[in-house]
Amino acid sequence: PAALAPWRTALAEDIAFHETVQCWFFSQWKALKDHANGLGVGIIGDLPIYVSLDSADVWSERREFLLDETGRPSRVAGVPPDAFSETGQLWGNPIYRWDVQEKTDFAWWKERMKASARLYDIVRIDHFIGVVQYYMIPAGYEDGKVGEWVKGPGKKLTDAINQVVGDTKIIAEDLGIYVPEVKALLEETGYPGMKILEFAFSGDRFNEHLPHMYSPNSVVYGGTHDNETLVGYFDPKERQWWELQYIVDYMGISHQTEIVDRLMFTAYSSVASVVIFQAQDVLKLDNSARMNTPGTVGGNWRWRMLPGQLKKEHADRLAWLVDIFGRF
């Protein structure tokens, strides 16, 4: 308190600015959410598994994170090398001290989830695998080649989350390496997992992203914000001939221009309880409209849909798919 006191005076104008901006945000967000809910529309919000080192959470709640005596992380988050990256990914977020959090019955996580439940009707927990097991990289390394897998809190954390979310629903982003314990936890919690059509046709006939492998308790996406657009991904110049042949056989396609329409038809006809396609894919845009390229800085999160870009014909097509397969 003594250290903070003089800064409350020195930074009074900055503090007032941010308090005002947050007041505007929350009042406007509530009006938007009330309007959407009044139309029968729910809002899905994303909850990253980790928080940033320079966040208010880490600054004010150091005991919850694996930090040294100077407040710097000794271990950071990431993922090891995989099919998408030869060096893995170094995210750099501080790791949780799960043993400390468990002693408080995950009080910090409960507050975090309650805040998200006020903002959203559905919360998508990103990198849900980290609840079961997480990858720790020693601070100072430049990639994800060096690290170790550590067991996470698992059901203890999801039990704590379920105590506070109320009517807010949860989607578990369970993408990445196959971990049986993650699938078992989803079964136990009832959280739906995710399926991605862009991942469906490059494996064997039992690939979990193929529609005939879905369970009803799942959410199918064409691709996520981290993936290419459907037009970009399924460019015949970028795919192997055998993958293209399987796409043709699986969905009865006679020409590449049909791929996006048939993907949407196939997703809507599946048993997955929810179907989600990005606006870029509804509009059939190429990779110039890609939202985000993981592991890169600059140029991301800049695509915006222009007024009038989404036309009645697009809405009619989606309405037709909803009607055909009873997705009311």
Side-chain angles (χ1 to χ4, degrees), residues 63-64 97-114 153-164:
R63 64 186 178 277
E64 309 284 350
R97 294 180 62 189
W98 289 119
D99 57 334
V100 172
Q101 296 210 10
E102 186 176 345
K103 291 176 182 177
T104 65
D105 194 24
F106 304 98
W108 178 85
W109 261 92
K110 285 181 176 179
E111 290 302 313
R112 191 182 188 208
M113 291 304 302
K114 283 194 287 187
K155 189 174 182 295
K156 294 176 182 178
L157 178 60
T158 57
D159 283 348
I161 287 173
N162 289 339
Q163 291 173 22
V164 298

Side-chain angles (χ1 to χ4, degrees), residues 197-209:
L197 284 174
E198 287 189 2
F199 301 167
F201 303 99
S202 57
D204 60 28
R205 298 329 187 226
F206 303 101
N207 183 334
E208 66 173 321
H209 296 284

